[in-house]
Amino acid sequence: MFETGLLKNKRILVTGGGSGLGAAMARRFLALGAELVICGRKHDRLEATAREMREETGGKVTTIACDIRDGAVVDGMMDAIWREAPLDVLVNNAAATFIAQSEHLSLRAADAILAPTLHGAMHCTLAAGKRWIEGKHNGVVLSILSTSTITGRAFTMPSAMAKSAVLAMTKSLAVEWGPKGIRTVAIAPGPFPTAGASGQLRPEGRDDSWAARNPLGRTGEHGELADLASFLVSDGARYINGEMVVIDGGAHLRSSGAEDLLGWSEAQWAEQRAARSKS
C-alpha cells in the first residue's frame, strides 16, 4: 500500500509499544523505514517485542522502561532519547481502562485510568514539544483516542474523560504549535480486539454479538489501524493538523458500545468487581 521508505529517516517513539495496538503500529513503522523507540513499564516485555521486530525487519529498535505517569521520569526518558538524536514523531498510545459502575469507582481506581491515559499523554507531549521548539525541529504527535470522545461511554467514564481531554490537547496544540512546525493529530479506533483490552472490557457475561452489530459486520484488523497511523505521521499527511480520524466501521453511528451493560444485574457487577480486585 505504501512505499517501502515512507517513514525513512523518521525516529518514532511509541508509548505502550510492547504489546497490542502499540506493537502493531510500531512494527508497521519499522517496516516502512522508521527508527523505533518503544517504552512501557515492563522491561522484559519490551525487550521480547523489540527482539522479534529486529528479527523480522532488521530495523533499529531501542527500548526504554518508563512510567509515563511520572512527569520527571518522562523528562529523563526524553533526555536519554535526545542524547542520541531528536525524535520526529511521538505516538501517545499507552492507556488504561476497565468497565465499572461509576458510583463504585474509588479515587484510586479512577486515578489508575487518568494517570497514564491523560497525564501520561500530556507529560510525553509537553516533553517532546518543548525539545522540538527549542531545537527548531519539526515534529508530529499522534494520540490514540476512542470514539467515546464523540459519544461518551457509560461504565468507562474515566477513560472517556481522559480521551476527550487528550483530544482537546490535540486541537489546542494544533493552533499553538502549528506555526512552530509541529502537527498534532489523533485516531479514534473502534473495536480492535487485543488480549489486554478484551480482558478488561469484554469479560465473560457480556453480550458477544457486538461485532455482528457493526455496520461492516466485523471488528478491525490491527494492520488497518497501523496503516492509518503510518499515513498520519508521514509527510503525505503534512497538511492534516488538529484532526481526529475515526476508524471503527461506522460503529459509533449505531451505538456508544456500552448499551449491553445497562442490563447487567447487581450480582454481575459484584462478580466483576471481585475479579478486578483479584487481578
Side-chain angles (χ1 to χ4, degrees):
M1 180 177 178
F2 299 123
E3 295 179 2
T4 303
L6 180 71
L7 299 179
K8 187 178 180 181
N9 299 322
K10 292 196 182 295
R11 197 164 188 236
I12 302 177
L13 168 63
V14 181
T15 68
S19 62
L21 296 181
M25 289 185 287
R27 281 188 168 87
R28 192 71 174 113
F29 299 155
L30 201 61
L32 291 170
E35 177 184 327
L36 203 59
V37 183
I38 56 175
C39 78
R41 286 191 292 163
K42 297 181 179 179
H43 182 262
D44 290 347
R45 176 183 289 177
L46 289 171
E47 278 299 316
T49 301
R51 186 163 51 251
E52 291 173 1
M53 291 178 179
R54 294 183 194 111
E55 290 172 356
E56 289 169 6
T57 67
K60 182 176 180 181
V61 188
T62 302
T63 64
I64 301 180
C66 177
D67 185 347
I68 63 170
R69 299 174 297 181
D70 187 325
V73 172
V74 169
D75 216 43
M77 174 180 69
M78 294 298 185
D79 280 343
I81 291 171
W82 251 260
R83 275 196 289 272
E84 183 173 346
L87 287 176
D88 300 291
V89 177
L90 163 67
V91 179
N92 288 318
N93 168 71
T97 191
F98 52 80
I99 59 169
Q101 293 165 298
S102 297
E103 67 271 25
H104 287 290
L105 279 170
S106 66
L107 294 178
R108 182 178 179 183
D111 283 344
I113 297 168
L114 293 170
T117 311
L118 171 55
H119 297 149
M122 181 184 70
H123 294 327
C124 291
T125 300
L126 295 180
K130 175 178 70 174
R131 288 165 173 79
W132 283 331
I133 292 167
E134 288 174 352
K136 293 182 170 50
H137 189 94
N138 291 350
V140 180
V141 179
L142 169 63
S143 296
I144 306 304
L145 305 182
S146 133
T147 54
S148 66
T149 56
I150 303 168
T151 63
R153 186 160 300 140
F155 308 112
T156 55
M157 180 265 293
S159 174
M161 288 175 58
K163 297 287 190 178
S164 296
V166 176
L167 178 58
M169 178 185 75
T170 299
K171 291 180 177 293
S172 300
L173 293 180
V175 176
E176 187 174 348
W177 287 358
K180 302 177 188 295
I182 299 168
R183 291 192 299 116
T184 55
V185 290
I187 295 174
F192 283 80
T194 66
S198 295
Q200 295 294 340
L201 299 176
R202 310 299 311 183
E204 186 176 350
R206 282 202 73 175
D207 180 359
D208 62 1
S209 64
W210 54 288
R213 291 198 304 271
N214 187 295
L216 296 185
R218 65 175 177 88
T219 57
E221 299 174 2
H222 290 195
E224 293 171 319
L225 176 64
D227 281 343
L228 176 58
S230 298
F231 169 67
L232 287 175
V233 303
S234 76
D235 292 341
R238 59 187 176 274
Y239 202 51
I240 301 176
N241 189 30
E243 291 299 319
M244 179 181 75
V245 181
V246 176
I247 178 169
D248 75 338
H252 74 283
L253 301 174
R254 297 184 66 175
S255 164
S256 75
E259 284 76 6
D260 63 297
L261 293 171
L262 292 169
W264 266 30
S265 67
E266 285 301 321
Q268 285 175 295
W269 281 116
E271 184 179 345
Q272 174 64 16
R273 288 193 294 273
R276 193 171 69 246
S277 65
K278 288 179 183 177
S279 62

